Amino acid sequence: MSEHSKAPGDIGRRVARRREDLGLTREQLAERTGMDPGYLAYLEENT
């Protein structure tokens, strides 16, 4: 495992932190990335 990832499922926590750092809502990020907001919520909340 690389030094950047702490544990399996860490990507969701990192995405959430970065989204918040940028001041974006889930809906805004989902729209920018072409992702369903429900899937983004799933990624951020589940490991």
Side-chain angles (χ1 to χ4, degrees):
M1 199 172 287
S2 77
E3 66 184 66
H4 296 291
S5 61
K6 306 274 188 245
D10 188 52
I11 188 73
R13 287 184 293 275
R14 292 177 16 212
V15 167
R17 180 177 298 139
R18 182 64 177 148
R19 176 183 60 75
E20 292 168 358
D21 288 347
L22 294 171
L24 297 173
T25 66
R26 282 184 180 157
E27 291 76 17
Q28 291 169 326
L29 181 59
E31 184 176 327
R32 289 181 181 201
T33 61
M35 183 182 297
D36 184 271
Y39 182 64
L40 179 56
Y42 172 81
L43 286 177
E44 289 185 355
E45 294 172 7
N46 297 286
T47 56

